[in-house]
Amino acid sequence: MSSTYLGMPGRPVFGDGNLHATEAFPTAARRELGNAQLRANLGHATHTIRDKRLRVVAELPDWEELRDAGSAIKESVMARLPELLEEFEANFTARGGKIHWARDAAEANKTVRDLIRDAGADEVVKVKSMATQEIGLNEYLEEQGIAAFETDLAELIVQLDHDKPSHILVPAIHKNRTQIRDIFLREMPDVDPGLTNNPARLAEAARVHLRRKFLSAKVAVSGANFAIAKSGTLAVVESEGNGRMCLTLPETLITVMGVEKLLPSWQDLEVFMQLLPRSSTGERMNPYTSLWTGVTEGDGPQNVHLVLLDNGRSAALADEMGRSALHCIRCSACMNVCPVYERTGGHAYGSTYPGPIGAILSPLLTGITSEENASLPYASSLCGACYDACPVKINIPEILVHLRAEDVDSRRGTRKTPGQMDVAMKAASWAMGAGRRMALAEKALPLGKLAAGPDRKIKKLPGIAAGWTQSRDIPAPPAQSFRDWWGKERGKSAPGENAPTITRQKEKE
Amino acid sequence: MKIALFATCIVDAMYPSTARATVSILERLGHTVVFPAGQACCGQMHMNSGYFPEAVPVVRNHVEAFEAEDYDVAVAPSGSCVASVKHQHAMLARTIGDADLETRANAVGARTYELSALLTDVLGVTDAAAELGSWYPHRVTYHPSCHGMRLLRLGDRQADLLRTVEGLELEPLPQADQCCGFGGTFSMKNADVSSAMLADKNANIAATGAGLCTGGDASCLLHIGGGLSRQGSPISTLHFAEILASTRDNPAPAPDRIGSAAGISGKAGR
């Protein structure tokens, strides 16, 4: 390793890669909510996977212990990441692999481009990869005159449709079979014009389309689910076999992986091989697990490269409250149970990582720098379903709240006039900081009746509360608060901050 | 037993009848209820919206109000406020580096119970009709609020108590474990998503055929009830404490009579 200290890698720059949202969540969500077909597709798909996951998870009597083990392993990895990375590098290199460190998307993209050019190729086949999605590799390669072909069925559908993935595991979750048939008929050169929306027929069309690519490609690009430090081994977990084709057929294999994916040993992999398939696809075991350790002469790719990507991970790791977001194994269980994701889909989050994990991971990687990204931690009702579903027990609701505090703090003192929410929170803090002041505030409650009509409902409120009355009434407040009633009926004196507590013994009745 | 009532800000200000029902239930069981006068709010709204410094005086006030009083346990008719007292208060104290407040918040949190947890786990109530005289001859469905369900792990405690109310028919709610979309300031900041979640919740409630939806959190009921009211639905909402407190002699209002008048008048006798 270089002895020159180059400093901490920074956070991803806006416009570089696909981590930054370009519009605030509420705006994007409103647009997506208007798409009835999308909502129907999402509702159907998420509920199906959700039920499947619950069934297979219930089969394991030690599921909670497995979650604890997964969480503990990840925590220890984060605590000694630099040392594990060095161990991995030494072992991977010793077996003939080459390591390339990338601080950000630009460095990673350029490295991959150079490796492809060195191999004399102008097209590559790709295994579905969140890391390359994150850095915008496909778009970058296209600009550089290199064609990247996605080989995962759902990823292929999204790519052919010139769309963006809407889900980590099921990128085309927002499309139904008929929509997919239409895309194939429109975009696949030699497709059977009589193609129906039968799933087997659709899969066959994709298989025929891809086979030529697999057999001719000189270079493949993949991501990795896990990397084992002790042996320098990489692992890809998938369902369709396209990954196995990419990882074994081409001469050159370039893998792009986030630095957080490390596991100390093979023993640790055992835990995650139980957690991942059950959490993501609701299966006991995924159909294909490929593991490779460097280069084996005469078997598989002879040039094996790994681009180790930071892209904001060091910055996230430095956040004591938020760092456990890096435990994420990209299973997507959180988005399948999230009521917000279920209604808006992934595009509303504006980032490679949608859903609850995206709402914390994207701002942790990029920082709460723009209004767009800062809106993500608020894209949750804090219902907690994500935390319950997470196989590595990332406390997503707690991190959401932590990031909201970071957002509020970052805006303190920067505005000439505080926002409505700032004023309301300050006022409420004052009133709710003492029983006496709360009692005083409650004296004004009957005024609320004035806002209510003859039917005793408040139907329109101004400012930040207008969102509430868009679809909900508020009942007129009561004439008397409980505190007031208790003081008058039960207490000997009016409630006050320093007054003795009002008590009532049943015996005295 | 001497029980301190934490009325919670929303019940205190908007649903006094729920707090009065809570008092009535506990007194019927022969316990003494005290109301620590210094109490105001748990500060959850501030914390969940990211206003940590503004939450500090609110949390400090709650801790001081509840340690000033001599009592055995504290109770609140709200899963979400109890979850805040039990989990968030110490977390906030830790964030501002106040170890003393953290210890005190943990002590208050440890003896604070959600109403159904207190009734079943501490007071051993298993039959509301027999032990409380609960009588509510109506078709009711039940929404388990997220924080009670996931942060406090209340399980079926509230529903089990409701099942033992004389005359009450409990209709199962489809997709009961789905969030109603309230989420505090979420309902304002992401009003569209919140409304979409509420629409699905209320469609499920309507599908049960029940005339009323009950639950353990006034805020969720305010949200659900507000949506039903806007739709012009005849279905109303009522906190489960008021159903448990309802007797033949002093019945809680029937579903079709709650709406905007009887349920919030503050005059309904218990």
Side-chain angles (χ1 to χ4, degrees):
Chain A
M1 288 189 82
S2 166
S3 60
T4 315
Y5 179 66
L6 297 170
M8 275 269 288
R11 290 193 134 119
V13 181
F14 188 86
D16 210 0
N18 294 318
L19 278 178
H20 289 86
T22 52
E23 58 186 334
F25 182 83
T27 315
R30 186 176 310 129
R31 184 187 53 243
E32 300 296 313
L33 277 165
N35 185 341
Q37 178 74 63
L38 171 93
R39 273 177 75 184
N41 295 352
L42 279 169
H44 175 73
T46 55
H47 281 263
T48 307
I49 310 177
R50 205 183 282 187
D51 295 343
K52 250 177 102 183
R53 185 190 75 88
L54 281 176
R55 272 201 306 277
V56 295
V57 160
E59 291 173 357
L60 291 185
D62 61 345
W63 182 251
E64 290 308 314
E65 287 82 356
L66 277 168
R67 288 177 76 209
D68 286 334
S71 173
I73 293 167
K74 281 289 183 180
E75 205 170 306
S76 83
V77 166
M78 296 310 148
R80 52 195 196 96
L81 195 53
E83 125 196 21
L84 286 171
L85 282 166
E86 284 185 37
E87 185 186 350
F88 178 85
E89 181 180 33
N91 291 322
F92 189 74
T93 309
R95 298 291 302 264
K98 287 200 179 66
I99 297 269
H100 310 264
W101 299 85
R103 272 175 295 204
D104 52 27
E107 278 188 8
N109 283 334
K110 191 175 164 302
T111 304
V112 175
R113 177 203 62 186
D114 291 347
L115 290 170
I116 296 168
R117 284 192 180 157
D118 289 351
D122 59 3
E123 61 175 52
V124 296
V125 284
K126 280 191 72 206
V127 199
K128 188 176 117 50
S129 146
M130 296 313 295
T132 62
Q133 193 65 249
E134 174 187 322
I135 60 176
L137 180 67
N138 289 10
E139 297 94 314
Y140 172 84
L141 291 180
E142 197 180 333
E143 283 167 23
Q144 301 288 315
I146 297 169
F149 296 98
E150 293 292 348
T151 64
D152 172 88
L153 177 55
E155 205 71 53
L156 171 73
I157 292 163
V158 171
Q159 189 181 40
L160 287 174
D161 200 31
H162 313 287
D163 192 6
K164 283 194 167 184
S166 181
H167 189 279
I168 286 183
L169 175 81
V170 199
I173 194 169
H174 54 306
K175 299 187 194 296
N176 64 22
R177 286 190 261 147
T178 307
Q179 290 170 307
I180 293 165
R181 181 203 57 190
D182 295 345
I183 295 165
F184 281 9
L185 286 175
R186 197 179 67 228
E187 302 285 339
M188 277 181 182
D190 302 324
V191 75
D192 170 11
L195 183 69
T196 68
N197 68 2
N198 174 287
R201 295 282 307 275
L202 292 172
E204 183 58 23
R207 186 174 286 129
V208 170
H209 173 78
L210 288 170
R211 181 115 336 193
R212 267 186 314 234
K213 300 288 175 203
F214 286 133
L215 296 175
S216 65
K218 284 205 262 183
V219 179
V221 175
S222 87
N225 293 93
F226 306 102
I228 296 161
K230 207 166 219 165
S231 56
T233 303
L234 288 169
V236 160
V237 174
E238 42 118 12
S239 297
E240 297 169 16
N242 63 301
R244 179 72 53 84
M245 302 279 258
C246 290
L247 299 169
T248 52
L249 289 173
E251 271 291 297
T252 300
L253 172 60
I254 306 164
T255 301
V256 183
M257 181 186 89
V259 288
E260 81 284 12
K261 295 268 176 178
L262 280 189
L263 294 177
S265 71
W266 281 80
Q267 246 180 332
D268 303 304
L269 184 66
E270 175 249 338
V271 172
F272 292 93
M273 290 311 296
Q274 294 186 74
L275 288 172
L276 180 55
R278 283 186 160 82
S279 301
S280 62
T281 52
E283 293 168 300
R284 297 179 189 93
M285 178 52 74
N286 52 290
Y288 296 88
T289 300
S290 303
L291 296 129
W292 68 104
T293 310
V295 177
T296 305
E297 210 178 316
D299 184 15
Q302 297 301 295
N303 308 300
V304 173
H305 299 271
L306 174 66
V307 180
L308 275 166
L309 178 70
D310 189 276
N311 209 34
R313 284 158 178 80
S314 293
L317 195 59
D319 186 323
E320 202 184 322
M321 279 288 289
R323 69 171 59 134
S324 63
L326 295 176
H327 296 187
C328 176
I329 55 173
R330 314 283 190 259
C331 73
S332 74
C334 63
M335 52 202 77
N336 294 333
V337 298
C338 177
V340 175
Y341 176 89
E342 183 187 334
R343 273 128 190 130
T344 64
H347 292 166
Y349 296 79
S351 159
T352 291
Y353 302 107
I357 188 64
I360 59 171
L361 193 57
S362 305
L364 278 166
L365 294 174
T366 59
I368 301 263
T369 49
S370 63
E371 202 181 318
E372 290 75 18
N373 262 25
S375 71
L376 288 175
Y378 299 96
S380 165
S381 65
L382 302 180
C383 82
C386 50
Y387 184 24
D388 270 8
C390 179
V392 287
K393 284 189 145 175
I394 301 170
N395 191 337
I396 296 175
E398 193 173 276
I399 300 176
L400 285 166
V401 168
H402 159 69
L403 290 171
R404 290 176 186 185
E406 196 165 284
D407 169 51
V408 170
D409 286 343
S410 76
R411 286 185 284 107
R412 273 180 210 280
T414 60
R415 287 181 174 175
K416 282 202 184 94
T417 49
Q420 280 186 54
M421 190 66 90
D422 302 331
V423 173
M425 288 291 171
K426 229 181 172 63
S429 170
W430 180 83
M432 291 168 170
R436 177 179 49 81
R437 295 200 289 263
M438 188 74 176
L440 207 64
E442 283 165 357
K443 291 284 182 206
L445 271 177
L447 289 176
K449 282 187 182 165
L450 298 176
D455 57 357
R456 310 199 56 185
K457 291 172 184 175
I458 300 169
K459 291 182 172 168
K460 205 167 173 60
L461 285 173
I464 45 172
W468 175 281
T469 47
Q470 136 188 336
S471 64
R472 292 151 285 225
D473 295 335
I474 298 178
Q480 189 182 32
S481 71
F482 172 77
R483 181 191 309 270
D484 199 27
W485 174 84
W486 179 278
K488 289 198 171 101
E489 298 285 322
R490 301 291 188 91
K492 292 184 177 66
S493 61
E497 201 168 20
N498 300 312
T501 300
I502 305 142
T503 63
R504 179 208 185 236
Q505 306 272 325
K506 189 178 165 65
E507 301 80 64
K508 289 182 192 160
E509 251 181 356
Chain B
M1 198 177 267
K2 198 168 173 183
I3 300 168
L5 173 67
F6 171 35
T8 80
C9 63
I10 184 170
V11 166
D12 178 20
M14 291 296 287
Y15 295 99
S17 52
T18 298
R20 285 159 63 179
T22 306
V23 174
S24 162
I25 292 166
L26 298 173
E27 288 183 346
R28 250 182 254 167
L29 291 166
H31 300 288
T32 302
V33 178
V34 297
F35 182 78
Q39 68 176 281
C41 170
C42 64
Q44 183 186 181
M45 174 181 79
H46 288 101
M47 279 179 275
N48 284 352
S49 305
Y51 287 80
F52 282 13
E54 286 82 355
V56 174
V58 183
V59 168
R60 201 180 289 285
N61 178 69
H62 182 86
V63 172
E64 282 168 5
F66 277 83
E67 65 185 7
E69 184 66 52
D70 168 39
Y71 61 89
D72 300 304
V73 291
V75 69
S78 161
S80 119
C81 304
V82 171
S84 175
V85 168
K86 277 183 160 334
H87 304 299
Q88 278 190 317
H89 285 192
M91 186 269 286
L92 182 76
R94 212 163 37 247
T95 307
I96 61 165
D98 190 334
D100 172 58
L101 184 63
E102 186 182 346
T103 311
R104 291 159 60 200
N106 273 327
V108 170
R111 54 176 181 157
T112 303
Y113 289 82
E114 182 279 332
L115 179 60
S116 71
L118 179 76
L119 289 174
T120 55
D121 301 353
V122 182
L123 306 180
V125 175
T126 54
D127 188 333
E131 293 164 80
L132 298 166
S134 308
W135 179 79
Y136 196 70
H138 304 289
R139 275 175 90 189
V140 166
T141 191
Y142 162 76
H143 166 67
S145 289
C146 299
H147 290 179
M149 180 168 54
R150 302 203 177 92
L151 291 174
L152 296 182
R153 302 284 172 204
L154 291 179
D156 295 327
R157 287 175 180 82
Q158 292 174 354
D160 285 347
L161 286 169
L162 285 164
R163 277 191 201 95
T164 63
V165 171
E166 189 187 348
L168 186 144
E169 273 180 75
L170 192 64
E171 300 291 342
L173 177 64
Q175 298 181 37
D177 65 348
Q178 299 288 296
C179 178
C180 70
F182 172 57
T185 50
F186 171 76
S187 56
M188 295 180 228
K189 289 193 171 179
N190 280 288
D192 298 287
V193 188
S194 170
S195 296
M197 289 160 71
L198 177 62
D200 291 344
K201 175 61 69 182
N202 284 349
N204 280 323
I205 290 171
T208 66
L212 180 136
C213 176
T214 187
D217 272 87
S219 49
C220 305
L221 295 176
L222 175 79
H223 185 238
I224 292 169
L228 290 166
S229 161
R230 177 60 58 89
Q231 291 174 335
S233 166
I235 307 170
S236 45
T237 56
L238 190 66
H239 195 284
F240 85 95
E242 303 199 42
I243 292 179
L244 294 187
S246 174
T247 60
R248 280 175 194 275
D249 292 343
N250 217 342
D256 60 345
R257 297 195 47 240
I258 297 172
S260 56
I264 49 135
S265 67
K267 285 176 186 154
R270 288 285 176 272

